[in-house]
Amino acid sequence: MTGLENATVLLLQASPGGYDPILPGLILLLPLLGFLANGALGLIGGVRAAEELRSGREPARHEGRPLTHTLPTWIGPATIGLAFVLTTANFMAMLGAELTDPIVRSYWMWMATGTLGVEAAIQLDQLSMIMMMVITGVGFLIHVFSVGYMKDDPGYPRYFAYLNLFVFFMLILIMGANFPMMFVGWEGVGLCSYLLIGFWFQDREKADAGKKAFIVNRIGDFGFLLAIFLLFVSFGTLDYATIFDQAPEVLTYGGGVATAVTLFLLLGAIGKSAQVPLYVWLPDAMAGPTPVSALIHAATMVTAGVYLVARAGVLFALAPVGAAAVATIGAVTALFAATIALQQYDIKKVLAYSTVSQLGFMFLGVGVGAYAAGVFHLMTHAFFKALLFLGAGAVIHSMHHALHATHKDWDAQDMRNMGGLRRYMPVTWVTMAIATVAIAGIWPFAGFFSKDEIIWYAGTAAGVGGGYGALFTVLWGMALAAAVLTAIYMTRLLVMTFHGSNRTGDAEASHLHEAPLTMIVPLCILAVLSVVGGWLNVPGSVRNSIFGGFGLLPMSDWLDRWLQPVTQSAVDIRVAELGGYASSAPVGGGHVLWGAIATGVALVVVILTARAVSRQKIVPATQDTVPLSGIRKHLYHKWYVDELYDRVIVRPVVRASRFSWRWIDQILIDGTVNAVGGVARGFGWFGSLFQTGQVTTYAFILTLSALAVLGALIF
Amino acid sequence: MTALLDAIGYDVWALHALIWLPLLGMLAVLLAPQERAKKIAFGWTAALFLLSLGLWWAFDPEGPLFQLTSRVEWIALWGVSYALGLDGISLFMVLLTTLTMPLAILGSFRYIRKHEKAFYALMLLLQTGIVGVFTSMDLFLFYVFFELTLVPMYFIVGVWGGERRIYAAIKFFLYTALGSLLMLVGILYLYAQARATGAPPSFHFLDLLGTPLTLTEQLWLFAAFALAFAIKVPVFPFHTWLPDAHVEAPTPGSVVLAAILLKLGTYGFLRFVLPLFPEAAIHPTVVMVMLTLGVIGIIYAAWVAAVQPDAKKLVAYTSVAHMGFVVIGIFALTVNGLQGGLMVMISHGISTGALFLILGMLYERRHTRAIEDFGGLARVTPLLATALIITALASIGLPGTSGFVGEFLALLGTFERYPVLAGLATTGVIFAAYYMLPMVQRILFNRLENPENRSMPDLSGREIAVLAPLVALMILLGVHPTPVLERMDPAVQAIVEYVDDANREGPLAAAARAEGERFAVEVGVGAREARDVPGAGLQRPATPESMDLVRSMHWPGTAGFPGQEE
């Protein structure tokens, strides 16, 4: 098998670099073992709960029970924590080594036919390593947070089983060494997403949301599959190493195959990363427990599309149309989703649309060939968006307890019912404020550096030559507008939730409380990362200005350089074909000036929004009877996109299904069959005339028929 | 293991035993007291499964194409032989059969309440028929076994079925009998054509292989065979017997029908239709028709499945969609396509069998098949829910389950030659989620409203024993299918090479030559040489002297056989 040869060659090549992977298989195995253990415990808990239900007893609480509480509490986070430690060790080892080619470890031949050989193989390189760090690191924090958040839930062990399984599949997605392996992770995380969105499956809406996520994702997976097929037909293999090596020779620049492959991959990425037009599942996905939203629907799974484009950078560099499509989809999504976020009241919905919008930024980045910038924003976003979701989780947790204490049936997630929470939850408030400033793009917080870099590359991507100048200029403008909107909706969220006077109710307010330690600690760690995370990649061009702290901030361009072995060949192709990036924005001005404008505008917008929202008279949701009108109504109803899809796609398919069944199957086909049967029955009656009961008659007819058949055969 | 099997002469008697021992079991069931019948039937089939496991080692993937072969004259006058053989394809079909049977029987312990002895006797008879079909090398023998499977199935549906069982049973019987009658005519015609070349009379597949036929003849014969198999598969639009049969059949009937009997059709295409009528099978119109019907089946059946209120009917329609993947995989005629088709056959057998078993367990508890009568079951029956979710995921081809490997390879193989049709077929992955997830949700999730569901018991130990092996296989075959794929590979390569190559060369042709030589030595004449001379087949009579010799060897005292008369 060529795959095996490749693997051996790569393994041999890697040794001189000095990096020897430390138990990479164990990084995958740990979450899997966690899943199996917690899954078994979950079944035990489920069987026990079912018995209680059948006998009509009240379900017992898990807390303090060894099998369904203590064990999952340790197994769930510990497996991911150990995986993080192992990943860090590998990361350190890779840091000290000159690794130019990825290291591939093959475990067994997965699918082999005469012409195809797909191995169960993993690949370690700079890109997968940085992703693994984010997944296991942020994943571990969210597992710890969940211990406090899910404590009272009847499905506690089952929850950790799903969460462990998710990390396992996410790592497969990232570490896979060929496209089918990535697809295993790709659909695997989709499955976990489905199970976790519908975690509280008794609630029909939540179960519906999980189903919607799965089906919409499968539309994307359809594209991914076609891309895989096309790659196999073109390359005869599906291994990254071979495909990316040979792509410049096998595929013609801008040719039909390259374009088709990238567009199909893009369809997959759009589905998984919730981009226009397939973003509709993500806001609904907020039905899941909030830590799930933080891990799956903000920090990791939804960024898989960005990873895919960065991973297949060579292919996108060879298909300028495909790359431009990525950038366009990204910019459109960034702006479109940001508008909807402006007028949502559900705290998680705001964050959901914010995530869609920020993913759009990442797409814009990788679309204009700035792969490192896209991955950079992916990383910083993982920090501050996970923090925002976990903070929102802490708020909802507290609100829920308060409302539950007095049996008030208000919505615990509606920001109109909150207000003034900073007095009750100071740590949550401070950490969320840090995250808000970070996502708004204010220096020196993490979001400033990563978002600024994407916008800068988008503005300068037209560069010298190339046919996409006008397009990139428009996308740049859209990104700037989206950045301004980001600052607005995030400030609105922060002020409505934490500032002003409390609207929950006097009796309820006394039950509001700060989150427990297991929830606070992850918040604080993520808050630190939301500040310093951006310093990993201070652009060289601004390092000596105030933005680089006049050279004080360390690690200039570190991530760019770190990812270079992975991204270089794609960047080379792009520069050779489309030319390099310009040194000034489309309307003039250098990087430092635009950095100053961006952070200045963001700051002003934050202050203005804060003042405007503070002055607004906000009333609890039940008393908010003034109907929205005009643009606000459209924004509140999310531009009616769900309604449109329902009318244009869902209902026609259902109608076609019913038509197929009732008319084609039952009447046309079966009608014909039964009619033929009726005719046959007529013949049967005719035949029965010969059923005389006399053996001699039968023998006569038999002989006659046999002769007839033989006669027919001969002549 | 291999040494042990050699020591007991396993490869000499294994296939005969697997075919005929079920009849002995049938006898035991009939003689046993009523209440012991099911246990005897289960024990017997379980023992047969263990026996069949030896095939895994007895079959050498590096060895000749057909192994464990045997050939004995049966009706010497017509050249009908009792000839068996096993290649990589039939190996897994046999294993699928021997695995499904004990599980289907174990799963019917509570469901079958009347005439138990008769029921289990028929199940055993069915097993004889099915294993016979998958191991027959002789077309006549194949036909006999093919028809033999009809009879027990007819009674299983008609006696132990639901309310409309008579209608369903008759529809099933007439539909499939009609198709197979045309196939019989086709077999006889093919036989006569082979005889006309002067070859000694034989229904042996390898003897008939390469029978000179004009394209028109091939197309007609193809149609006759294809109709029989297309009904069995079933290929759209010949599928409407299936939902009725499935809905009315008792659980074990549905399981056997879906898991094994449908595969008789696709197996027939692979084993006989492609090699015997290669020019028809690669005729552009034929290929387009078959691929289009396959694609329609995938999409159309998924749509129809999605709106079924009856869970069993829903699953029945998903079978049509799954078999669509097999059809396109076969007729794309690529190695990946065929491998994928075979994997879909195996995986569908496992996952759909398990789905019918689970629906049967639900029926035993609630006496309803309507999806809307359930809801929220995950809270009351967590074990059943886990099994159903894993099975549903395997059925819709989630990577890591057996369903993915099959669909992926079938689509990939089709894409290699027909990208547009493969692209259309790939939408099937979307529609699979569209039919399966709502059913899972409406059964397992949502509010637990109906009080009758509240007291539903979870899986019993027996039921776990039925489902656990299937669930394990779904995952095992999804994670590590290579041992299966590499055993099927030689057979698949041989078919593709033979059909695709204008000279009809390759391992299949070599096997046919070897069989011809062996047969000639047995018969004592070199009569078959006439056929090996290119073009010789088109002139009908061989030399009278040689024919006389053959006649004297084979049917002394008779006037000869129609095929050789002028």
Side-chain angles (χ1 to χ4, degrees), chain A residues 133-149:
Chain A
M133 286 295 285
V134 171
I135 292 157
T136 53
V138 177
F140 172 63
L141 293 176
I142 292 172
H143 273 72
V144 173
F145 183 93
S146 300
V147 169
Y149 191 84

PDB file of all heavy atoms in Angstrom, chain A residues 133-149:
ATOM      1  N   MET A 133      -3.937  21.664  21.397  1.00  0.00           N
ATOM      2  CA  MET A 133      -3.775  22.435  22.634  1.00  0.00           C
ATOM      3  C   MET A 133      -5.084  23.126  23.003  1.00  0.00           C
ATOM      4  O   MET A 133      -5.520  23.110  24.162  1.00  0.00           O
ATOM      5  CB  MET A 133      -2.665  23.479  22.458  1.00  0.00           C
ATOM      6  CG  MET A 133      -1.264  22.923  22.468  1.00  0.00           C
ATOM      7  SD  MET A 133      -0.808  22.207  24.043  1.00  0.00           S
ATOM      8  CE  MET A 133      -0.523  23.664  25.021  1.00  0.00           C
ATOM      9  N   VAL A 134      -5.700  23.774  22.014  1.00  0.00           N
ATOM     10  CA  VAL A 134      -6.954  24.490  22.282  1.00  0.00           C
ATOM     11  C   VAL A 134      -8.031  23.511  22.742  1.00  0.00           C
ATOM     12  O   VAL A 134      -8.740  23.747  23.726  1.00  0.00           O
ATOM     13  CB  VAL A 134      -7.417  25.256  21.023  1.00  0.00           C
ATOM     14  CG1 VAL A 134      -8.813  25.821  21.230  1.00  0.00           C
ATOM     15  CG2 VAL A 134      -6.426  26.358  20.683  1.00  0.00           C
ATOM     16  N   ILE A 135      -8.141  22.384  22.020  1.00  0.00           N
ATOM     17  CA  ILE A 135      -9.248  21.452  22.309  1.00  0.00           C
ATOM     18  C   ILE A 135      -9.097  20.821  23.691  1.00  0.00           C
ATOM     19  O   ILE A 135     -10.045  20.815  24.482  1.00  0.00           O
ATOM     20  CB  ILE A 135      -9.315  20.363  21.218  1.00  0.00           C
ATOM     21  CG1 ILE A 135      -9.750  20.993  19.913  1.00  0.00           C
ATOM     22  CG2 ILE A 135     -10.260  19.253  21.619  1.00  0.00           C
ATOM     23  CD1 ILE A 135      -9.337  20.209  18.714  1.00  0.00           C
ATOM     24  N   THR A 136      -7.902  20.303  23.969  1.00  0.00           N
ATOM     25  CA  THR A 136      -7.754  19.655  25.275  1.00  0.00           C
ATOM     26  C   THR A 136      -7.721  20.692  26.397  1.00  0.00           C
ATOM     27  O   THR A 136      -8.267  20.460  27.472  1.00  0.00           O
ATOM     28  CB  THR A 136      -6.486  18.783  25.326  1.00  0.00           C
ATOM     29  OG1 THR A 136      -5.366  19.595  24.932  1.00  0.00           O
ATOM     30  CG2 THR A 136      -6.589  17.611  24.396  1.00  0.00           C
ATOM     31  N   GLY A 137      -7.097  21.854  26.140  1.00  0.00           N
ATOM     32  CA  GLY A 137      -6.980  22.879  27.186  1.00  0.00           C
ATOM     33  C   GLY A 137      -8.329  23.480  27.529  1.00  0.00           C
ATOM     34  O   GLY A 137      -8.816  23.382  28.671  1.00  0.00           O
ATOM     35  N   VAL A 138      -8.961  24.094  26.525  1.00  0.00           N
ATOM     36  CA  VAL A 138     -10.277  24.686  26.772  1.00  0.00           C
ATOM     37  C   VAL A 138     -11.267  23.590  27.149  1.00  0.00           C
ATOM     38  O   VAL A 138     -12.124  23.781  28.012  1.00  0.00           O
ATOM     39  CB  VAL A 138     -10.756  25.470  25.525  1.00  0.00           C
ATOM     40  CG1 VAL A 138     -12.147  26.016  25.735  1.00  0.00           C
ATOM     41  CG2 VAL A 138      -9.784  26.603  25.218  1.00  0.00           C
ATOM     42  N   GLY A 139     -11.109  22.427  26.504  1.00  0.00           N
ATOM     43  CA  GLY A 139     -12.001  21.310  26.812  1.00  0.00           C
ATOM     44  C   GLY A 139     -11.918  20.923  28.285  1.00  0.00           C
ATOM     45  O   GLY A 139     -12.945  20.698  28.925  1.00  0.00           O
ATOM     46  N   PHE A 140     -10.698  20.872  28.804  1.00  0.00           N
ATOM     47  CA  PHE A 140     -10.538  20.502  30.212  1.00  0.00           C
ATOM     48  C   PHE A 140     -11.231  21.530  31.111  1.00  0.00           C
ATOM     49  O   PHE A 140     -11.965  21.171  32.039  1.00  0.00           O
ATOM     50  CB  PHE A 140      -9.047  20.413  30.548  1.00  0.00           C
ATOM     51  CG  PHE A 140      -8.776  20.219  32.013  1.00  0.00           C
ATOM     52  CD1 PHE A 140      -9.218  19.084  32.669  1.00  0.00           C
ATOM     53  CD2 PHE A 140      -8.087  21.181  32.736  1.00  0.00           C
ATOM     54  CE1 PHE A 140      -8.975  18.905  34.018  1.00  0.00           C
ATOM     55  CE2 PHE A 140      -7.845  21.009  34.088  1.00  0.00           C
ATOM     56  CZ  PHE A 140      -8.283  19.873  34.734  1.00  0.00           C
ATOM     57  N   LEU A 141     -11.019  22.819  30.832  1.00  0.00           N
ATOM     58  CA  LEU A 141     -11.644  23.851  31.663  1.00  0.00           C
ATOM     59  C   LEU A 141     -13.164  23.704  31.652  1.00  0.00           C
ATOM     60  O   LEU A 141     -13.836  23.849  32.676  1.00  0.00           O
ATOM     61  CB  LEU A 141     -11.246  25.243  31.165  1.00  0.00           C
ATOM     62  CG  LEU A 141      -9.769  25.608  31.335  1.00  0.00           C
ATOM     63  CD1 LEU A 141      -9.474  26.961  30.715  1.00  0.00           C
ATOM     64  CD2 LEU A 141      -9.400  25.605  32.820  1.00  0.00           C
ATOM     65  N   ILE A 142     -13.699  23.413  30.480  1.00  0.00           N
ATOM     66  CA  ILE A 142     -15.163  23.316  30.389  1.00  0.00           C
ATOM     67  C   ILE A 142     -15.667  22.056  31.085  1.00  0.00           C
ATOM     68  O   ILE A 142     -16.748  22.051  31.672  1.00  0.00           O
ATOM     69  CB  ILE A 142     -15.593  23.402  28.912  1.00  0.00           C
ATOM     70  CG1 ILE A 142     -15.301  24.813  28.413  1.00  0.00           C
ATOM     71  CG2 ILE A 142     -17.058  23.050  28.741  1.00  0.00           C
ATOM     72  CD1 ILE A 142     -15.478  25.026  26.945  1.00  0.00           C
ATOM     73  N   HIS A 143     -14.874  20.992  31.050  1.00  0.00           N
ATOM     74  CA  HIS A 143     -15.255  19.797  31.818  1.00  0.00           C
ATOM     75  C   HIS A 143     -15.326  20.129  33.314  1.00  0.00           C
ATOM     76  O   HIS A 143     -16.238  19.696  34.007  1.00  0.00           O
ATOM     77  CB  HIS A 143     -14.242  18.666  31.590  1.00  0.00           C
ATOM     78  CG  HIS A 143     -14.541  17.826  30.394  1.00  0.00           C
ATOM     79  ND1 HIS A 143     -14.370  18.266  29.100  1.00  0.00           N
ATOM     80  CD2 HIS A 143     -15.014  16.555  30.282  1.00  0.00           C
ATOM     81  CE1 HIS A 143     -14.705  17.312  28.259  1.00  0.00           C
ATOM     82  NE2 HIS A 143     -15.111  16.259  28.949  1.00  0.00           N
ATOM     83  N   VAL A 144     -14.329  20.892  33.782  1.00  0.00           N
ATOM     84  CA  VAL A 144     -14.325  21.250  35.205  1.00  0.00           C
ATOM     85  C   VAL A 144     -15.536  22.118  35.532  1.00  0.00           C
ATOM     86  O   VAL A 144     -16.235  21.902  36.524  1.00  0.00           O
ATOM     87  CB  VAL A 144     -13.011  21.986  35.565  1.00  0.00           C
ATOM     88  CG1 VAL A 144     -13.073  22.509  36.990  1.00  0.00           C
ATOM     89  CG2 VAL A 144     -11.823  21.060  35.387  1.00  0.00           C
ATOM     90  N   PHE A 145     -15.796  23.088  34.666  1.00  0.00           N
ATOM     91  CA  PHE A 145     -16.943  23.964  34.860  1.00  0.00           C
ATOM     92  C   PHE A 145     -18.231  23.142  34.946  1.00  0.00           C
ATOM     93  O   PHE A 145     -19.113  23.403  35.754  1.00  0.00           O
ATOM     94  CB  PHE A 145     -17.010  24.949  33.684  1.00  0.00           C
ATOM     95  CG  PHE A 145     -18.106  25.968  33.769  1.00  0.00           C
ATOM     96  CD1 PHE A 145     -17.887  27.208  34.336  1.00  0.00           C
ATOM     97  CD2 PHE A 145     -19.377  25.689  33.264  1.00  0.00           C
ATOM     98  CE1 PHE A 145     -18.893  28.155  34.400  1.00  0.00           C
ATOM     99  CE2 PHE A 145     -20.388  26.621  33.334  1.00  0.00           C
ATOM    100  CZ  PHE A 145     -20.147  27.865  33.899  1.00  0.00           C
ATOM    101  N   SER A 146     -18.317  22.108  34.087  1.00  0.00           N
ATOM    102  CA  SER A 146     -19.534  21.299  34.029  1.00  0.00           C
ATOM    103  C   SER A 146     -19.810  20.582  35.343  1.00  0.00           C
ATOM    104  O   SER A 146     -20.967  20.295  35.661  1.00  0.00           O
ATOM    105  CB  SER A 146     -19.419  20.260  32.908  1.00  0.00           C
ATOM    106  OG  SER A 146     -19.234  20.903  31.676  1.00  0.00           O
ATOM    107  N   VAL A 147     -18.748  20.250  36.080  1.00  0.00           N
ATOM    108  CA  VAL A 147     -18.947  19.552  37.348  1.00  0.00           C
ATOM    109  C   VAL A 147     -19.888  20.354  38.234  1.00  0.00           C
ATOM    110  O   VAL A 147     -20.815  19.805  38.835  1.00  0.00           O
ATOM    111  CB  VAL A 147     -17.588  19.325  38.054  1.00  0.00           C
ATOM    112  CG1 VAL A 147     -17.804  18.844  39.474  1.00  0.00           C
ATOM    113  CG2 VAL A 147     -16.760  18.332  37.268  1.00  0.00           C
ATOM    114  N   GLY A 148     -19.670  21.669  38.267  1.00  0.00           N
ATOM    115  CA  GLY A 148     -20.565  22.496  39.061  1.00  0.00           C
ATOM    116  C   GLY A 148     -21.896  22.731  38.370  1.00  0.00           C
ATOM    117  O   GLY A 148     -22.954  22.668  38.982  1.00  0.00           O
ATOM    118  N   TYR A 149     -21.825  22.967  37.078  1.00  0.00           N
ATOM    119  CA  TYR A 149     -23.023  23.379  36.361  1.00  0.00           C
ATOM    120  C   TYR A 149     -24.060  22.264  36.268  1.00  0.00           C
ATOM    121  O   TYR A 149     -25.253  22.497  36.377  1.00  0.00           O
ATOM    122  CB  TYR A 149     -22.640  23.836  34.952  1.00  0.00           C
ATOM    123  CG  TYR A 149     -23.755  24.524  34.203  1.00  0.00           C
ATOM    124  CD1 TYR A 149     -24.003  25.874  34.395  1.00  0.00           C
ATOM    125  CD2 TYR A 149     -24.554  23.824  33.304  1.00  0.00           C
ATOM    126  CE1 TYR A 149     -25.022  26.517  33.723  1.00  0.00           C
ATOM    127  CE2 TYR A 149     -25.580  24.460  32.631  1.00  0.00           C
ATOM    128  CZ  TYR A 149     -25.805  25.798  32.840  1.00  0.00           C
ATOM    129  OH  TYR A 149     -26.810  26.436  32.176  1.00  0.00           O
TER     130      TYR A 149
END
